[in-house]
Amino acid sequence: MRLLWRLASRLTANLIMTHGPVQPGAVYLSFDDGPDPKYTERLIALLAEHNAKASFFLIAELAAAAPDLVARILSSGHSIGNHSMSHPAMYRLGFTAQWQQIDQGDTVLQGLDPGHQHAFRPPNGRITWAALLNTLLRRRPMVMWSIDSLDYKLDAEAVVKRLRSRPPTGGDIILFHDDGECALLALQVLLPEWKLAGLRFLPLECAG
């Protein structure tokens, strides 16, 4: 039993990605819950202004409704990942329903970004055994994060303060959301500061 537990722990450690490749000054901005017609376009423009690339973990039903916006994300050099079909509380669903959420999301993203296997990020950051098994059998990582901006519950000023108190370093994956204005306002302040500190912003290749 102890050997099986160690094996399971090792497998899940290899599956769950909390940091990107450690390169000098490289950090990885990631955005959940889009694409949003009101905010994602503005965010893409801000990232372009600072030569920053990012990874967008898309709710597939929203992506299917805004294919031109997804194309804009991709043509701007960003990567995309699977954030489920409709962003349910996965832990409340049965095993089969969870797999359907992930696999239906994959199907949509393949149609929008063919030829890539898209990493999965669970809704609300809640990891389930069903999602882990799906990730293992599909041979792709589950991408989490090392820094949570908390932009889903703080205002922009508080997010700036939080991230100044814990500046990102090489390999950090930072969680933001692009379904509201908070990340946009916070990054208007933070991106110039981070660039002056020598940071550069890369997409996660596994997310697209």
Side-chain angles (χ1 to χ4, degrees), residues 1-17 129 132 135-136 140-142:
M1 181 64 70
R2 185 174 297 176
L3 181 61
L4 288 173
W5 176 251
R6 287 178 179 173
L7 179 60
S9 297
R10 186 170 299 176
L11 283 172
T12 55
N14 291 334
L15 282 174
I16 301 171
M17 181 178 178
W129 283 108
L132 279 173
T135 297
L136 175 64
R140 60 168 170 220
M142 178 182 292

Side-chain angles (χ1 to χ4, degrees), residues 120-160:
F120 178 67
R121 175 176 282 172
N124 309 119
R126 294 287 295 266
I127 299 171
T128 67
W129 283 108
L132 279 173
L133 184 57
N134 183 285
T135 297
L136 175 64
L137 294 181
R138 300 290 190 258
R139 297 183 179 180
R140 60 168 170 220
M142 178 182 292
V143 176
M144 301 299 284
W145 54 84
S146 55
I147 299 177
D148 186 349
S149 71
L150 298 183
D151 63 342
Y152 52 91
K153 66 178 183 180
L154 300 178
D155 62 22
E157 183 178 355
V159 169
V160 169

Side-chain angles (χ1 to χ4, degrees), residues 19-205:
H19 290 76
V22 178
Q23 303 178 35
V27 297
Y28 303 87
L29 306 175
S30 67
F31 299 91
D32 285 6
D33 294 358
D36 186 286
K38 183 175 181 180
Y39 299 110
T40 304
E41 192 75 53
R42 293 167 60 192
L43 184 58
I44 292 170
L46 175 66
L47 294 171
E49 181 182 337
H50 294 283
N51 193 30
K53 306 303 181 186
S55 303
F56 290 79
F57 288 86
L58 306 179
I59 298 174
E61 66 179 13
L62 299 182
D68 291 345
L69 185 51
V70 177
R72 176 91 167 89
I73 291 171
L74 293 168
S75 66
S76 298
H78 309 295
S79 61
I80 63 173
N82 180 356
H83 199 40
S84 80
M85 186 64 190
S86 62
H87 202 281
M90 296 279 277
Y91 61 93
R92 293 179 179 171
L93 302 180
F95 190 97
T96 299
Q98 291 186 53
W99 274 52
Q100 289 174 342
Q101 279 286 327
I102 300 169
D103 290 345
Q104 289 172 4
D106 276 340
T107 298
V108 170
L109 296 190
Q110 280 292 327
L112 297 168
D113 183 32
H116 295 97
Q117 188 176 46
H118 301 93
F120 178 67
R121 175 176 282 172
N124 309 119
R126 294 287 295 266
I127 299 171
T128 67
W129 283 108
L132 279 173
L133 184 57
N134 183 285
T135 297
L136 175 64
L137 294 181
R138 300 290 190 258
R139 297 183 179 180
R140 60 168 170 220
M142 178 182 292
V143 176
M144 301 299 284
W145 54 84
S146 55
I147 299 177
D148 186 349
S149 71
L150 298 183
D151 63 342
Y152 52 91
K153 66 178 183 180
L154 300 178
D155 62 22
E157 183 178 355
V159 169
V160 169
K161 182 178 180 181
R162 174 178 174 80
L163 295 179
R164 280 175 174 165
S165 69
R166 197 299 200 188
T169 58
D172 273 326
I173 299 174
I174 311 173
L175 171 65
F176 291 100
H177 297 77
D178 62 321
D179 61 340
E181 194 173 36
C182 184
L184 178 71
L185 295 176
L187 286 170
Q188 286 173 348
V189 176
L190 291 168
L191 281 175
E193 294 180 1
W194 287 344
K195 285 178 64 179
L196 284 174
L199 297 181
R200 54 198 181 101
F201 311 96
L202 305 179
L204 289 161
E205 293 183 5

